[in-house]
Structure formats: C-alpha cells, structure tokens
Amino acid sequence: MHHSKYPIGHIIGLILSLVLTFLAMIVALHTNLPRNVIMWFIGILAFLQAGLQLFMFMHITEGENGKVNVANIIYSIIIALVVVYGTIWVIHY
C-alpha cells in the first residue's frame, strides 16, 4: 500500500463533501420544490455524503488485500444511529 505525504484523497473528500452540503443548501433555500421533495433530496445527498466519508476518511477499503473493513462499517453505523436518534430524542423531549 502506498502512502504519500500529501493527503490528496482527504482533500478530494473534503471538497466533494462541501459540494454535496452546498448543493443541499441551495436546493433547500433557493428552490420552490415541495417540502417533501426537498427532504428526499437532502436525505439522498446525506446518504451519498455518508458513503463518501466512509471511503475517503474512514479508510474502509484499507483492510487486508483491499478488503472492506467490517469493523469500520459497524462503528460508523453505530455512531450514525446514535447521532440521528439522539438528535430526534433531544428535539422531541
């Protein structure tokens, strides 16, 4: 496995994450789409961004022989569930 001193993969991941975030913001604030369409669009972009971050920042494919690291997937799912359901719990109670 080759590691360079300059983290170009992280820079690309950051830029793509920012693009997805700004795209969601533009759709939410500057379109006249129905609210449910906007929410679906933001949800799809969030799912894409989560996948992007799994591959770019959590090094999900850096297991043995390029295999997917299952521990990283499980950890990221647990963190995502805690954040989402914790937020919903705090907002509603």
Side-chain angles (χ1 to χ4, degrees):
M1 183 173 304
H2 175 69
H3 293 283
S4 67
K5 290 183 179 183
Y6 192 73
I8 190 69
H10 290 164
I11 302 299
I12 292 170
L14 174 66
I15 291 170
L16 290 174
S17 292
L18 288 172
V19 167
L20 289 172
T21 300
F22 286 125
L23 184 59
M25 183 183 72
I26 289 168
V27 168
L29 297 177
H30 299 293
T31 64
N32 292 327
L33 295 171
R35 180 172 286 199
N36 62 341
V37 172
I38 291 172
M39 295 303 290
W40 273 100
F41 190 77
I42 290 172
I44 291 168
L45 289 177
F47 181 78
L48 290 173
Q49 187 169 0
L52 171 78
Q53 290 180 4
L54 279 173
F55 283 96
M56 301 302 281
F57 299 120
M58 292 188 70
H59 310 286
I60 200 166
T61 57
E62 288 186 7
E64 295 177 12
N65 300 325
K67 293 181 182 176
V68 173
N69 190 341
V70 178
N72 279 352
I73 293 174
I74 293 170
Y75 176 71
S76 61
I77 289 171
I78 290 169
I79 294 298
L81 289 173
V82 167
V83 168
V84 169
Y85 288 112
T87 302
I88 292 170
W89 178 67
V90 168
I91 288 174
H92 285 284
Y93 299 104

